[in-house]
Amino acid sequence: MGAHKDSFGTLDFLRDLPLFRELDACELEAIGAATIELRVTAGTALFRRDDPCDGFHVIVVGRVKLALLAPAGAEKVVGILGPGQSFGEAAMFLGKRHTLYAEALADSLLLFIRSGAMLEAIRRNPKLARRMLDEMSQRLYSLVVDIEAYTMKNATERVTGYLLAALSDDAGAGQPAEIQLAASKSVLASRLNITREHFSRILHELTQSGLIRVSGRNIRILDLARLRDHKI
Amino acid sequence: MGAHKDSFGTLDFLRDLPLFRELDACELEAIGAATIELRVTAGTALFRRDDPCDGFHVIVVGRVKLALLAPAGAEKVVGILGPGQSFGEAAMFLGKRHTLYAEALADSLLLFIRSGAMLEAIRRNPKLARRMLDEMSQRLYSLVVDIEAYTMKNATERVTGYLLAALSDDAGAGQPAEIQLAASKSVLASRLNITREHFSRILHELTQSGLIRVSGRNIRILDLARLRDHKI
């Protein structure tokens, strides 16, 4: 796969990212020249905790899991990312090693943008710096929402919250709407800080109440209003 | 208090903040002109969730608590900040309303820097933009560490982790070292996501084990090596 460098159109993809929308052709070329195309199969580790960080990743196709690993080998999934999303910027800016573990959840095509070119582009283009500040601020917001969920919501609220957020990601305003789980049930359970068994039990309970219907990774929302109101 | 604007030397204080170290005299003047000095007493609410955000705060003297409020009135403290630290930048960049509640824990002197001047300074000075990116990256790191503590550490590990971090903040390499708790036990317990009673029980247990001695808000570390190793 990928015999010649620009097989899928790296520059076109970069140009379409909101992050790079302010770059002129010449600046974009410089970023493109510092970009490596990575094709990985499901299960590939992209980096591990304490690995040095000299750039950041953008997902073109596929899905990536970010996780904290406990000494005993347990893991806590903190993010499940898809096309257009990026990761690793904070470690890049701080010149620190990675704190998270990143793994492809599906066969994926990623871009790896080296830190030197990125930091230089930010130094030259304040609009890019501002875009990146917005991106990092958005991520801080999301982490605060996560902390709120972990510390102040019960497991059922976290699951219904996840389903409702997935629903608003997939467009569709129709009443019986369908979503597809972004990862396996065990990965999602870890993302929601519950056991796989507890996750299944909650899905079963929501099914019994007539709020959803589950078929593999597909979940059909049967009663959106009641799902929104559902507690405990 | 504070009859004339520059009573304590706003510009000197701003100049010494790492964030503003790259600004020239003229740029610093512009920020200073957009800065309001706030003297508040302990217990004053600085902003609440859903308040509009048109700037960010820097602490000169005092202490501020950032918290999430649950519908029932419970609160989850997510940060306890002191002199030199700032808050509210993410909401400012995103032009969003606040998600957190901020309250002075002690009589405090704060600076409030209006967003217009700050965004303009960032637009003009890429070095300032880069400093702010480092700051936001650092905060993302800290939140990931928090999530790790909430989801993968038990209560005792969170308490000993807090004591060890407080110890490294206060200089002093001497073996029996002393720290002063940054807030009341109930605020700290909420920060560590445990009940006030559980927090007291853990301090009592660490005292019984001969690792610490507690006297009001002062905690003397009697055996640093064993405290580092202490689990459950």
Side-chain angles (χ1 to χ4, degrees), chain B residues 44-59:
Chain B
T44 304
L46 299 162
F47 53 75
R48 294 170 197 280
R49 184 174 196 141
D50 291 329
D51 276 355
C53 168
D54 59 346
F56 73 105
H57 290 81
V58 186
I59 304 172

Side-chain angles (χ1 to χ4, degrees), chain B residues 68-128:
Chain B
L68 288 158
L69 298 184
E75 75 174 26
K76 162 74 195 100
V77 176
V78 295
I80 300 168
L81 309 180
Q85 292 187 285
S86 57
F87 52 98
E89 293 94 331
M92 176 183 77
F93 284 120
L94 295 172
K96 280 197 185 181
R97 288 169 181 270
H98 287 290
T99 38
L100 298 174
Y101 165 66
E103 181 188 301
L105 284 177
D107 293 351
S108 301
L109 170 59
L110 307 168
L111 299 180
F112 178 73
I113 302 175
R114 287 197 203 89
S115 65
M118 190 61 195
L119 298 180
E120 176 64 15
I122 283 175
R123 202 176 68 74
R124 288 172 179 272
N125 188 330
K127 287 183 183 166
L128 173 61

